[in-house]
């Protein structure tokens, strides 16, 4: 079977999209799944966070231009495979303007999807042609948000884009859930944002994940070491929370490996 394709999305920046993508790639890999991370953000944060030299390698931009095949651009890391990007991808909105441009990513991933169990796509903080490409190629979305009003606004504005994509390009697109990052249940603001997120989830016909990601300085440190939070600080609170999220998403299909007893 071809891979299950999931996009991590929110038009608001700083809500933990890349951290979430990297952590889930690591968790899924630890469970034995074959995983591919796709970086659709011109900042190239996902590839950088996984230890790649994104300035000196072919990228998804070359695939979209038709000068490279996806299999030739994919890079292997200690954790998983990555289809990287860099700042050159910022030209996509202007450069890729022909009919059918919404299907560039879907066409590319169709050539490699049989090699993986899960493909996770990290998107830019914008509802542009790159984000639309991700939605068109995906089976589902995960929407991270921080417990703050502006982050919540970004979630609510996604609804129109999702409905447009469903109407014109990808009727099967579903929202797996809304993920609360930097959550502190002892704070009134976090609890209030949880209630509002649950209301938006109802509007999107989805849920707020039971797993909520707590804060830690390790989250900011991990990318500098070219690692996900789950590889850099596996016993940290956010790493444990992401492991629980992975259990929610894939536990039935890819349970944790059982430890052998001597």
């Amino acid at each position: 079977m071809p891979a299950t394709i999931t996009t991590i999305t929110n038009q608001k920046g700083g809500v933990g999209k890349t951290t979430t993508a990297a952590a889930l790639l690591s968790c899924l890999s630890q469970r034995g799944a074959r995983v591919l991370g796709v970086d659709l953000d011109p900042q190239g944060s996902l590839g950088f966070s996984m230890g790649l030299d994104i300035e000196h390698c072919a990228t998804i931009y070359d695939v979209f231009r038709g000068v490279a095949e996806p299999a030739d651009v994919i890079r292997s890391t200690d954790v998983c495979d990555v289809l990287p990007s860099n700042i050159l991808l910022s030209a996509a909105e202007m450069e890729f303007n022909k009919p059918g441009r919404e299907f560039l990513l879907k066409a590319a991933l169709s050539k490699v999807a049989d090699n993986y169990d899960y493909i996770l796509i990290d998107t830019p903080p914008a509802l542009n042609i790159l984000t639309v490409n991700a939605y068109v190629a995906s089976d589902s979305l995960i929407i991270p948000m921080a417990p703050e009003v502006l982050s919540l606004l970004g979630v609510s504005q996604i609804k129109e884009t999702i409905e447009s994509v469903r109407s014109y390009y990808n009727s099967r697109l579903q929202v797996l859930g809304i993920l609360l990052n930097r959550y502190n249940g002892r704070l009134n603001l976090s609890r209030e944002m949880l209630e509002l997120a649950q209301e938006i989830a109802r509007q999107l016909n989805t849920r707020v994940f039971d797993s909520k990601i707590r804060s830690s300085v390790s989250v900011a440190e991990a990318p500098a070491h070219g690692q996900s939070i789950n590889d850099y600080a596996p016993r940290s609170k956010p790493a444990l929370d992401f492991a629980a999220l992975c259990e929610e998403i894939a536990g039935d299909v890819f349970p944790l490996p059982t430890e052998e007893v001597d």
Side-chain angles (χ1 to χ4, degrees):
M1 291 180 60
T4 297
I5 303 177
T6 300
T7 286
I8 317 297
T9 181
N10 189 327
Q11 71 177 61
K12 176 74 168 59
V15 298
K17 291 189 294 292
T18 301
T19 298
T20 299
L24 286 177
L25 287 167
S26 176
C27 290
L28 287 165
S29 179
Q30 290 170 9
R31 288 169 175 264
R34 301 168 300 163
V35 287
L36 171 67
V38 179
D39 197 344
L40 271 196
D41 189 343
Q43 296 180 69
S45 298
L46 181 61
F48 179 83
S49 297
M50 304 304 280
L52 296 180
D53 180 1
I54 61 172
E55 301 305 326
H56 299 93
C57 66
T59 69
I60 187 68
Y61 175 68
D62 299 298
V63 175
F64 286 171
R65 291 173 60 222
V67 299
E69 289 295 319
D72 298 327
V73 174
I74 290 171
R75 294 290 176 265
S76 294
T77 73
D78 292 338
V79 173
C80 65
D81 288 351
V82 177
L83 189 49
S85 74
N86 59 29
I87 195 63
L88 295 175
L89 190 59
S90 60
E93 194 75 36
M94 297 294 294
E95 184 171 347
F96 305 121
N97 52 20
K98 295 180 180 179
R101 65 179 188 157
E102 298 86 359
F103 296 91
L104 287 170
L105 182 62
K106 182 176 182 178
L109 294 183
S110 69
K111 299 179 179 180
V112 296
D114 287 339
N115 300 329
Y116 300 98
D117 300 303
Y118 286 93
I119 297 175
L120 299 184
I121 305 170
D122 188 24
T123 52
L127 294 177
N128 57 18
I129 190 59
L130 295 173
T131 303
V132 169
N133 260 268
Y135 289 14
V136 171
S138 292
D139 303 298
S140 58
L141 308 176
I142 293 174
I143 305 175
M145 60 167 283
E148 56 189 41
V149 173
L150 290 178
S151 176
L152 194 69
L153 181 63
V155 175
S156 63
Q157 292 173 339
I158 286 175
K159 183 180 179 183
E160 184 177 342
T161 302
I162 293 173
E163 291 175 347
S164 294
V165 169
R166 282 175 176 161
S167 296
Y168 297 107
Y169 306 114
N170 180 7
S171 60
R172 74 182 189 283
L173 183 65
Q174 297 180 329
V175 181
L176 274 185
I178 295 174
L179 174 67
L180 285 173
N181 273 321
R182 302 201 301 274
Y183 185 78
N184 185 341
R186 293 172 295 181
L187 298 180
N188 287 335
L189 178 62
S190 287
R191 294 196 297 269
E192 291 169 2
M193 290 300 103
L194 172 57
E195 292 179 4
L196 292 172
Q198 289 170 334
E199 176 57 34
I200 290 177
R202 282 190 287 270
Q203 295 175 22
L204 293 172
N205 195 30
T206 188
R207 60 177 172 144
V208 177
F209 286 111
D210 292 336
S211 304
K212 297 165 183 62
I213 314 303
R214 290 167 287 180
S215 297
S216 168
V217 66
S218 301
V219 172
E221 294 172 346
H225 295 266
Q227 293 180 304
S228 75
I229 180 63
N230 289 68
D231 295 298
Y232 176 70
R235 297 184 182 275
S236 65
K237 290 179 180 179
L240 296 174
D241 296 337
F242 277 120
L245 175 66
C246 190
E247 175 69 23
E248 278 193 70
I249 294 171
D252 291 342
V253 181
F254 283 94
L256 281 169
T258 56
E259 296 184 3
E260 294 184 3
V261 180
D262 294 332

